[in-house]
């Protein structure tokens, strides 16, 4: 990032932003690398990317544009995380529009935390008989994992601090920040 854009970014920070963990340029560089790997791995297979709404929307759109193969892009929406995770309460709000049967499906997620959301979704998709089923997550927080999951592609590993930006929200806010930051939860009355 140039000095000038860093200054602009710093001036516009909402007060909830504690510390920027991944700047936009760093995110996009990693997304490009993942796109190159995925392009190589799927060179001989048609790829269907399934973005999990809403958090993974910026990531899956940037990632799909870095894949040099035709991509069938679809979205699924499940109940989102509240500040207190409600374990096992995953529910489909919007299903896929395309059929995954016999397709090479790559599920794209913003962050895998306990893994419960993704585990539910993978079981659901597996039951629909895709030709293959893999996962790409921008962020992985393995310390809090409750179920083991096969994750083929990971952008960055992160610690336990709550993150906002580049799709990640706190109560539906901050998704449009171009970077990923830790959050001052004390401003929201959370300990
Ligand atoms: P899991 O089911 O515990 O793996 O939760 C995954 C989902 O929780 C992600 O898709 C996010 O929507 C949400 N989530 C987990 N950690 C964070 C965070 O630090 N900030 C914002 N959302 C998060
Ligand atoms: Mg999500």
């Amino acid at each position: 990032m140039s000095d000038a854009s860093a200054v602009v970014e710093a001036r516009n920070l909402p007060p909830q932003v504690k510390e920027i963990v991944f700047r936009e340029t760093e995110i996009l560089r990693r997304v490009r690398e993942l796109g190159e790997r995925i392009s190589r791995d799927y060179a001989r297979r048609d790829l269907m990317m399934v973005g999990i709404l809403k958090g993974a929307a910026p990531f899956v759109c940037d990632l799909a544009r870095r894949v040099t193969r035709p991509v069938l892009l679809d979205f699924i929406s499940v109940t989102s995380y509240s500040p207190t995770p409600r374990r096992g309460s995953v529910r489909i709000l919007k299903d896929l529009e395309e059929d995954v049967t016999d397709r090479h499906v790559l599920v794209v997620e913003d962050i895998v935390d306990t893994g419960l959301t993704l585990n539910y979704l993978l079981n659901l998709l597996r039951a629909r008989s895709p030709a293959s089923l893999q996962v790409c997550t921008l962020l992985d927080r393995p310390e809090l994992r409750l179920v083991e999951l096969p994750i083929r592609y990971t952008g960055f590993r992160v610690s336990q601090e709550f993150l906002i930006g580049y799709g990640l929200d706190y109560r539906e806010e901050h998704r449009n920040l171009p970077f990923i930051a830790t959050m001052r939860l004390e401003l929201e009355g959370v300990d």
Side-chain angles (χ1 to χ4, degrees), residues 54-103:
K54 303 171 195 170
F59 177 43
V60 75
C61 292
D62 285 343
L63 185 63
R65 282 178 295 178
R66 293 293 166 194
V67 174
T68 55
R69 299 264 317 143
V71 172
L72 178 66
L73 184 57
D74 204 352
F75 294 91
I76 193 164
S77 178
V78 293
T79 41
S80 53
Y81 203 87
S82 59
T84 327
R86 282 181 300 159
R87 297 185 171 156
S89 69
V90 184
R91 190 165 58 89
I92 292 194
L93 301 177
K94 179 213 167 286
D95 207 338
L96 296 172
E97 290 169 22
E98 304 300 322
D99 190 359
V100 302
T101 310
D102 297 330
R103 285 190 162 131

Side-chain angles (χ1 to χ4, degrees), residues 52-56 109-110:
I52 306 179
L53 294 173
K54 303 171 195 170
E109 178 61 306
D110 50 0

Side-chain angles (χ1 to χ4, degrees), residues 81 109-117 141 162-163 168-169:
Y81 203 87
E109 178 61 306
D110 50 0
I111 179 166
V112 183
D113 197 19
T114 64
L116 290 172
T117 310
R141 190 183 276 139
F162 195 83
L163 300 169
L168 295 164
D169 73 306

Side-chain angles (χ1 to χ4, degrees), residues 143-167:
E143 281 171 46
L144 294 185
R145 193 78 88 254
L146 292 176
V147 279
E148 274 317 304
L149 291 172
I151 300 181
R152 174 65 65 90
Y153 309 96
T154 301
F156 306 99
R157 276 182 164 226
V158 296
S159 64
Q160 295 196 13
E161 271 194 285
F162 195 83
L163 300 169
I164 49 173
Y166 195 68

Side-chain angles (χ1 to χ4, degrees), residues 5-124:
S5 55
V7 169
V8 170
E9 198 171 74
R11 274 199 200 123
N12 291 319
L13 294 186
Q16 287 88 351
V17 170
K18 192 163 155 191
E19 192 186 345
I20 296 178
V21 183
F22 302 109
R23 295 195 176 277
E24 188 175 15
T25 44
E26 194 180 349
I27 297 169
L28 296 180
R29 193 186 318 128
R30 188 71 185 123
V31 168
R32 198 181 321 124
E33 287 171 4
L34 291 172
E36 285 166 6
R37 269 184 60 197
I38 291 167
S39 304
R40 280 197 299 275
D41 292 353
Y42 288 84
R44 277 173 214 85
R45 292 178 292 169
D46 284 332
L47 174 60
M48 175 171 174
M49 287 170 75
V50 171
I52 306 179
L53 294 173
K54 303 171 195 170
F59 177 43
V60 75
C61 292
D62 285 343
L63 185 63
R65 282 178 295 178
R66 293 293 166 194
V67 174
T68 55
R69 299 264 317 143
V71 172
L72 178 66
L73 184 57
D74 204 352
F75 294 91
I76 193 164
S77 178
V78 293
T79 41
S80 53
Y81 203 87
S82 59
T84 327
R86 282 181 300 159
R87 297 185 171 156
S89 69
V90 184
R91 190 165 58 89
I92 292 194
L93 301 177
K94 179 213 167 286
D95 207 338
L96 296 172
E97 290 169 22
E98 304 300 322
D99 190 359
V100 302
T101 310
D102 297 330
R103 285 190 162 131
H104 294 281
V105 176
L106 181 62
V107 175
V108 181
E109 178 61 306
D110 50 0
I111 179 166
V112 183
D113 197 19
T114 64
L116 290 172
T117 310
L118 203 52
N119 189 49
Y120 172 87
L121 212 61
L122 290 177
N123 285 335
L124 182 113

